Amino acid sequence: MQSHENSSTLHLASLTRDLQSRDERCRANAYRDMLNLAEQGDGKAMFQVARCLNQGIGVDADSTRADHWLRLACVAKPASTDALFTYGMSHVMKQRAGADTSKGIQYIERAASAGYVKATLELVKLVEHGHTDIKPDLRRAYRLLANSISSHSDVALYAAYASFVERHQPITNLLDS
């Protein structure tokens, strides 16, 4: 089973690289193959199909179909962390009809808890500074960062943690009592 997963991951990476080609025929073929993987239930491929449809990569742009594949990528098993983050941010930034900030935060939290560093950093920023319907909460932002560095080893997370602690000295007022 492990070798099948590795093969699938390599194939997906190759197709993703082909989507960046300057050759339109190569991009179209990569989109077709990516769509095939997406139709088989691959969440990462679903996200790439959504991206292609949204940006017109290898296929004519179609925002309605792009949104359909983005939402499917969020419920795939496993879900695409890129899709969870993108969908969540579209709610937070009020870029979609019926945008719901709390729903957006839930999707971003799912991406962050799955180890998507970009989602963690953006979530901390939203919670630290607040945004539209989100009130600033320094304790929660600190806990998000502290928990993320204890479960994921990443240079960007450590840098964000150090910067956060430096900005909010003394840190003792953010520690749980």
Side-chain angles (χ1 to χ4, degrees):
M1 185 68 175
Q2 184 70 21
S3 67
H4 174 68
E5 288 177 23
N6 289 341
S7 174
S8 179
T9 300
L10 289 174
H11 184 59
L12 185 64
S14 175
L15 291 174
T16 302
R17 185 186 67 245
D18 289 348
L19 290 172
Q20 298 171 4
S21 170
R22 294 181 185 262
D23 179 6
E24 181 58 34
R25 186 173 178 177
C26 182
R27 288 193 306 265
N29 288 337
Y31 169 78
R32 183 196 66 229
D33 292 347
M34 192 71 74
L35 181 60
N36 186 36
L37 284 175
E39 289 171 341
Q40 294 174 30
D42 186 306
K44 291 178 182 180
M46 290 175 188
F47 175 74
Q48 291 299 327
V49 166
R51 187 175 70 85
C52 289
L53 286 163
N54 192 47
Q55 298 174 11
I57 301 171
V59 65
D60 290 336
D62 184 334
S63 61
T64 302
R65 286 180 54 218
D67 191 60
H68 168 78
W69 281 105
L70 178 65
R71 288 182 284 115
L72 284 177
C74 289
V75 296
K77 302 289 184 212
S80 161
T81 54
D82 287 309
L84 292 168
F85 177 70
T86 301
Y87 187 72
M89 287 302 294
S90 70
H91 275 279
V92 169
M93 303 305 289
K94 308 284 186 192
Q95 296 171 332
R96 57 187 315 108
D100 179 344
T101 302
S102 62
K103 181 178 184 177
I105 291 295
Q106 290 172 359
Y107 277 86
I108 297 168
E109 286 174 336
R110 283 181 54 203
S113 68
Y116 191 48
V117 172
K118 184 176 179 180
T120 301
L121 295 174
E122 189 61 36
L123 183 59
V124 168
K125 188 166 74 172
L126 289 168
V127 172
E128 179 182 3
H129 301 291
H131 181 76
T132 57
D133 305 344
I134 305 166
K135 292 182 180 177
D137 185 344
L138 292 179
R139 284 195 172 128
R140 181 171 178 222
Y142 174 77
R143 283 193 307 274
L144 285 166
L145 271 174
N147 290 339
S148 68
I149 63 170
S150 67
S151 60
H152 305 292
S153 178
D154 184 89
V155 173
L157 289 173
Y158 284 107
Y161 178 80
S163 176
F164 185 93
V165 169
E166 187 176 300
R167 284 192 312 276
H168 299 289
Q169 287 293 336
I171 198 68
T172 53
N173 62 349
L174 296 178
L175 300 174
D176 294 328
S177 47

